[in-house]
Amino acid sequence: MIIHHHIGFNTQGLSYLPVDDISFVKDAYEYAEKAHQGIFRKDKSPYISHPLAVVEQLSLLKLDKEILAAAFLHDVIEDTDISAVEIEHLFGAKVTELVQGVTKLEKLENLHKDEMQAKNLEKMILAMTQDVRVIIIKLADRLHNMQTLDAMTKHKQYRIARETQDVYVQIAGKLGMYCFKRPLEDLAFKYLYPYRHTILQKKLVLNLCTHTAKIKQIQAEIKDYLQDNKLNADVIVNQKNISRIYKAMKETALSFDNISSVFSYSIVVNNIKHCYKVLGLIHHLYRPLPGRFKDYTASPKSNGYQSLHTKVITKEGSIIEIQILTQAMKQKASYGIIVCLLNRTDQMGEIAQKTRQWFNCLINLQQDSDTSREFYQQFIQEIKQLKIQVLTPAGDIHELPEGSSVLDFAYSIHTEIGHHAISALSNQKQVNLSHVLINGDVLQVLTNQLHSPKPNWLDWVKTSKAKINIKKALRKSAKENHQTVKRLGIEE
Ligand code: MN
């Protein structure tokens, strides 16, 4: 006997959409509800509760009707008999593409689990490079799966948490979607290190109790001081997420007595000029810690993140961390690439451009990998690398993995510059191609058209762009040599 659970879908959360779009999404809901009818999740809830949670998450971000409809249908092809053709017939090609992007491949009997996982990831990443909305659905999907992970076996919990940390947390960070990155990271931490998580959680609750009064007093002090100086600003106290605190604990001897290890302050102002005015005032009010000021406003991080960062000591001797940013920067700081989707004028903006560059790099990586496994490994390596910033004499910033060489930098500027590079000038001093760069280096690459890639260059580069292009050039010249030999009839 099938028990008919009717959960229902409340369209109130979609009021930002036109009426026609709302009914389009509602149709997708009704279709998905029927398709999953009688199926239950591991935690015994009706299956439709899962796509519903995913859609709810995406509607909070005010995303479009196609992504919402696709989110409702995201498990239909994978888990029911319904075909892509039928979905396309009812909901159109765009929605179908999105659904297919997050649908896993048919399980192949003779393939190992890891190989299947690599194949699925490869497929999803390629779909993401075609339409970034694929990864947004996948992140919302993963978030809900992580929130309901208790229902799974310990072994599965660990495997899913591992993949979440290695892949999805990284992608979310890379695209600036901290609204997904933070909760995913904390949930992964909870299942990967349950004991540490429990202890830290307890400590944090205690910590909040002891520090609340002091934190509020500092907040008021800053706000009053800015107001006295005729600056309108919101002063917000943020508690850092648990895995970030854990990471800092591993790197430094962190003490919970220090406010800055657990909390930070955001000061939100109207425009960029005010950011710098506030910075001046803050450094006047409190003594700044030397070397702790960072200007991501003038040079944004590669995921578009912008803000002024500083660390100061209050009059009572507490060290606090402050970010100063505009409302628009704050939006970008939590939503990243999603801001480009919502705000079409930002389409050509910096985040969109950087994302394109990264996607192209991933496409190259995929084309150059012989197997899905190799691609998976390369991808994990590429995304986890720490980055440094290196500048051209004209001030163009290139972000490269730590340990990159002059040759990596040359290829990052342009493939042709890489191919013909001979050395570089750094502070009037000549450095050779294998020279390892450090953050903030300013370099002019010197080229010679007669020079071309040598096999030992592969030992000097870290970036996949350089590796791929050197290999390509070497293959091409080997082929040309071979043809010359043939043409001359020297070959046997
Ligand atoms: Mn799902």
Side-chain angles (χ1 to χ4, degrees):
M1 186 183 75
I2 298 167
I3 305 161
H4 285 264
H5 282 264
H6 203 84
I7 294 194
F9 169 49
N10 189 342
T11 54
Q12 245 168 29
L14 303 185
S15 56
Y16 64 93
L17 287 176
V19 183
D20 285 353
D21 291 7
I22 296 177
S23 70
F24 183 77
V25 177
K26 188 134 203 272
D27 288 347
Y29 162 71
E30 270 153 19
Y31 190 83
E33 215 235 343
K34 240 181 241 142
H36 293 298
Q37 186 69 260
I39 315 286
F40 295 85
R41 301 191 87 216
K42 282 259 161 48
D43 63 6
K44 311 253 176 351
S45 55
Y47 198 89
I48 191 70
S49 64
H50 167 61
L52 258 169
V54 176
V55 168
E56 193 179 274
Q57 183 67 241
L58 298 175
S59 65
L60 288 175
L61 301 170
K62 303 215 170 357
L63 288 161
D64 60 76
K65 67 167 183 180
E66 282 167 353
I67 193 170
L68 296 177
F72 266 135
L73 302 164
H74 82 269
D75 279 328
V76 164
I77 297 181
E78 194 172 310
D79 294 344
T80 76
D81 294 333
I82 292 161
S83 69
V85 180
E86 188 172 340
I87 293 194
E88 182 162 353
H89 176 68
L90 290 166
F91 298 99
K94 273 282 154 220
V95 171
T96 315
E97 269 169 40
L98 293 174
V99 175
Q100 279 180 311
V102 295
T103 300
K104 283 189 186 147
L105 295 159
E106 200 95 32
K107 268 201 191 88
L108 294 169
E109 286 296 327
N110 54 348
L111 274 194
H112 190 267
K113 243 199 187 120
D114 291 351
E115 225 160 315
M116 217 46 237
Q117 184 194 24
K119 276 195 182 304
N120 281 318
L121 181 86
E122 181 180 52
K123 172 181 173 288
M124 194 227 24
I125 286 176
L126 288 180
M128 166 182 87
T129 63
Q130 297 306 306
D131 191 334
V132 74
R133 292 179 297 177
V134 167
I135 190 65
I136 299 173
I137 298 177
K138 191 69 206 176
L139 289 170
D141 172 45
R142 183 50 64 103
L143 183 58
H144 186 245
N145 285 337
M146 288 299 290
Q147 284 162 343
T148 51
L149 203 58
D150 274 341
M152 297 287 178
T153 60
K154 282 268 171 309
H155 176 72
K156 251 199 159 163
Q157 285 175 359
Y158 186 84
R159 205 172 50 79
I160 295 173
R162 183 81 267 158
E163 190 190 51
T164 301
Q165 179 58 40
D166 287 349
V167 178
Y168 296 104
V169 166
Q170 310 297 330
I171 298 179
K174 183 85 186 181
L175 296 177
M177 294 185 275
Y178 288 88
C179 56
F180 285 116
K181 180 181 188 252
R182 292 209 183 98
L184 282 173
E185 192 167 46
D186 279 357
L187 285 160
F189 177 59
K190 179 178 157 189
Y191 288 98
L192 291 173
Y193 304 103
Y195 184 65
R196 286 173 235 195
H197 185 267
T198 314
I199 293 186
L200 218 55
Q201 187 88 305
K202 275 190 194 146
K203 277 212 140 201
L204 280 177
V205 173
L206 266 175
N207 185 261
L208 185 61
C209 299
T210 21
H211 285 319
T212 305
K214 211 193 309 178
I215 292 161
K216 288 217 163 123
Q217 183 238 317
I218 295 171
Q219 184 185 21
E221 193 169 62
I222 295 175
K223 200 164 170 68
D224 290 348
Y225 187 68
L226 294 178
Q227 230 155 37
D228 290 347
N229 286 281
K230 312 230 157 13
L231 259 162
N232 231 333
D234 272 340
V235 181
I236 304 163
V237 183
N238 321 296
Q239 183 170 337
K240 293 184 186 174
N241 61 327
I242 200 162
S243 44
R244 192 164 149 214
I245 294 169
Y246 174 67
K247 227 184 273 162
M249 279 176 81
K250 278 209 308 194
E251 282 160 17
T252 56
L254 179 144
S255 133
F256 275 90
D257 303 331
N258 219 333
I259 290 181
S260 71
S261 32
V262 182
F263 298 95
S264 73
Y265 292 84
S266 297
I267 304 178
V268 186
V269 295
N270 292 328
N271 56 54
I272 292 185
K273 259 192 194 162
H274 285 176
C275 288
Y276 290 100
K277 266 191 196 155
V278 167
L279 178 76
L281 288 168
I282 292 292
H283 282 185
H284 188 67
L285 178 66
Y286 302 133
R287 191 159 59 83
L289 286 187
R292 297 316 297 263
F293 166 65
K294 283 190 199 123
D295 188 343
Y296 294 117
T297 299
S299 23
K301 289 191 187 180
S302 70
N303 60 16
Y305 177 85
Q306 279 186 302
S307 155
L308 298 175
H309 281 198
T310 187
K311 249 188 182 180
V312 295
I313 308 177
T314 66
K315 287 161 188 162
E316 292 76 27
S318 314
I319 294 175
I320 59 165
E321 233 177 76
I322 296 177
Q323 296 112 43
I324 307 163
L325 65 182
T326 65
Q327 194 60 44
M329 291 179 196
K330 188 166 171 270
Q331 281 281 105
K332 262 198 256 176
S334 16
Y335 305 115
I337 189 77
I338 296 170
V339 172
C340 300
L341 289 177
L342 299 177
N343 184 356
R344 305 235 171 246
T345 53
D346 213 36
Q347 204 73 276
M348 299 313 289
E350 189 139 13
I351 306 182
Q353 256 178 45
K354 288 262 165 72
T355 304
R356 224 340 85 209
Q357 271 171 21
W358 186 51
F359 284 174
N360 288 338
C361 159
L362 292 180
I363 293 169
N364 281 334
L365 208 62
Q366 195 268 342
Q367 285 167 350
D368 196 58
S369 306
D370 293 327
T371 62
S372 303
R373 250 197 197 161
E374 192 186 319
F375 171 69
Y376 186 87
Q377 278 155 3
Q378 294 253 28
F379 171 78
I380 301 276
Q381 213 183 25
E382 135 79 33
I383 202 162
K384 275 195 171 168
Q385 259 158 355
L386 285 172
K387 304 282 161 132
I388 54 164
Q389 293 192 334
V390 185
L391 290 82
T392 66
D396 288 332
I397 300 170
H398 289 252
E399 198 155 272
L400 296 167
E402 219 173 33
S404 291
S405 64
V406 168
L407 199 50
D408 284 304
F409 179 58
Y411 274 101
S412 147
I413 299 170
H414 195 278
T415 310
E416 284 303 310
I417 294 191
H419 283 346
H420 304 301
I422 46 170
S423 64
L425 283 180
S426 160
N427 288 326
Q428 319 294 333
K429 236 180 59 200
Q430 193 148 343
V431 289
N432 48 30
L433 295 178
S434 60
H435 176 82
V436 174
L437 303 168
I438 55 168
N439 203 20
D441 271 349
V442 181
L443 286 171
Q444 184 188 356
V445 177
L446 305 174
T447 57
N448 179 336
Q449 286 306 310
L450 298 172
H451 266 245
S452 60
K454 311 282 178 295
N456 65 334
W457 282 18
L458 287 168
D459 300 334
W460 298 343
V461 294
K462 266 222 131 133
T463 56
S464 34
K465 180 171 183 194
K467 266 184 208 157
I468 288 163
N469 283 301
I470 294 170
K471 277 190 202 163
K472 262 190 205 159
L474 291 173
R475 271 202 295 264
K476 200 176 150 218
S477 80
K479 212 170 156 192
E480 279 164 9
N481 283 342
H482 183 72
Q483 276 162 357
T484 316
V485 169
K486 242 183 169 171
R487 201 173 51 240
L488 295 174
I490 308 169
E491 214 181 33
E492 291 179 320

